[in-house]
Structures are given as structure tokens and as C-alpha cells.
Amino acid sequence: MDPIVVPLHSRRRQRGLLVQKVQHAVPATGLIAAGVGALRSGAHGFDLALAIVEMVTSVLLIRGIVQSVLASRTPRSGHDHAHGVDWTDIWAAGVLFAEAGERWHLTHHFARPTILTAIVTLALGLFHGRIATRKARRRSLRVDDDGVHVGGRPFGAFHARWPELATISVTGDVAELRTRAGNVRRVDLADLENRAAVSAALGAARAHLKSLPAPALT
């Protein structure tokens, strides 16, 4: 049979990632206020440049968060893959760098944890496409001549060759794959943004399993 690969787009996981992005708005609003205050006080030189950077990065971050919230309301298809960079993470890194600059300007001490977090966040934003593609491959349903593989958390993946599979069933919002050895993997279909694509792949797997000859008794 032709291989079928469908990413498992979890709504809960997507909401968790969105909450992480929204949390970046808290320091952003504070930096906007600090930047506006600096402009009103007649800042110039480094103070003026810092105020502009604070406001620009914060406004762009909040704009990116709003776009992410709106995008999260659009279900993704079964074969969607993320490409390019994540500008929300990049602007979040900019806000963190600006926050570190503000602390250095006030105290003349480098906020090393903030700078480190900014560097990591920037890297996540720049390599977002590659990271997302790897995660999509790891968290996916694959049906091929070898058997069925259901990805998930580390050490939580399910893989069974066709002779090892006993049943593939769907009851309500839960799909269940059971091996002859008694291993079970359940998939919460209600949590999936691309439920239709995953259900179709499971249906193809179940049809293929039924078409195979019954294993010989030993």
C-alpha cells in the first residue's frame, strides 16, 4: 500500500503554545509604557534610541500575538507544515533584549538570564520551520506496508507491524489500536484539528488489516 503520513495536530498542544506567546505581552506592555515615558521626558541620545527600540519591538510583538490568536482559529489540514521563521518569537527576543538594555542602562549590570532567554527565543524563531517540521514528523500517524506508527511524547510512540495488530477501532471520539500482545494506543480524535484526515488514515489502516489473512495458530 502507498504510505500515508498525517500529522497529529493537537488542539491542547496548540493552546499551550499560544499561551506561551501571550505571556510575552506582559513585559511588552511595560516596555511600551517605559518608552512613552522616556519620550515625554525629552529623552535623547541612547535614551531615545532605547525608547524607540522598546516601543517598536513591543508593538510588533503584540501584533504578532494577535495574528497568532487569529490564525489558531483556522483549522489546519492534514498535510500542513510550518515553514520559515516565527516572527512572534523573533519580536519576543527583541523585547527581551530591549528589557536587558533597559536594566543595563539603569543599573549598569547585564541581566544574563534575560539575555540568555532572548538568545534561545531568537534561535527558536529563526529555526521555527525546521523545528516544527521535525516535531510534525515525530507527532504523526504513519500507515505503510510495514505497519502502523503513532507518534507522541518521548518514549510514548506506538509501533506495530501488521501481524502484531489485533484491532483498530473507533468509538465516539476515541480511536484505539490494540496489538495481539495487549498493548494499546488511544488517539483522542476530538482533540485533533485535522480529525477528518486522521480518521481517513485510520480507516485505510483498518481496511488493510481486515484484508490480511488471519495469522496461523501456534
Side-chain angles (χ1 to χ4, degrees):
M1 66 182 300
D2 293 332
I4 303 173
V5 181
V6 185
L8 301 174
H9 293 315
S10 169
R11 298 179 189 273
R12 285 191 295 268
R13 184 171 181 274
Q14 186 66 19
R15 285 195 295 267
L17 294 174
L18 189 59
V19 168
Q20 293 179 6
K21 292 182 182 294
V22 172
Q23 289 176 345
H24 289 306
V26 177
T29 54
L31 288 180
I32 290 176
V36 171
L39 292 180
R40 288 180 176 177
S41 64
H44 61 278
F46 179 81
D47 289 343
L48 177 60
L50 181 60
I52 293 174
V53 170
E54 289 174 344
M55 290 188 297
V56 171
T57 55
S58 297
V59 169
L60 290 173
L61 171 59
I62 293 174
R63 177 175 176 269
I65 291 173
V66 172
Q67 290 177 336
S68 296
V69 172
L70 296 177
S72 68
R73 298 181 180 180
T74 303
R76 294 175 288 178
S77 69
H79 301 282
D80 282 347
H81 293 286
H83 296 282
V85 302
D86 186 331
W87 286 103
T88 303
D89 279 343
I90 290 176
W91 297 129
V95 166
L96 290 170
F97 279 123
E99 183 179 358
E102 177 75 15
R103 292 186 182 180
W104 175 84
H105 184 58
L106 295 176
T107 65
H108 295 289
H109 288 91
F110 289 105
R112 290 182 177 82
T114 302
I115 294 174
L116 178 60
T117 302
I119 293 173
V120 172
T121 304
L122 178 61
L124 291 175
L126 292 175
F127 298 102
H128 169 76
R130 296 180 183 179
I131 296 172
T133 298
R134 290 181 180 178
K135 287 183 177 180
R137 290 174 180 171
R138 188 169 64 247
R139 300 178 61 86
S140 63
L141 166 66
R142 181 180 179 88
V143 182
D144 55 26
D145 288 334
D146 183 54
V148 180
H149 175 86
V150 184
R153 299 175 180 177
F155 309 107
F158 173 92
H159 180 78
R161 299 173 63 88
W162 291 114
E164 299 170 344
L165 270 173
T167 59
I168 300 175
S169 61
V170 177
T171 304
D173 293 329
V174 179
E176 182 181 275
L177 297 90
R178 183 182 295 272
T179 68
R180 299 184 186 280
N183 296 324
V184 178
R185 173 62 187 268
R186 294 181 177 86
V187 179
D188 183 2
L189 298 176
D191 178 51
L192 300 177
E193 295 179 354
N194 56 334
R195 173 174 179 165
V198 174
S199 296
L202 288 171
R206 182 167 51 186
H208 184 74
L209 179 63
K210 290 182 178 180
S211 70
L212 298 176
L217 298 176
T218 58

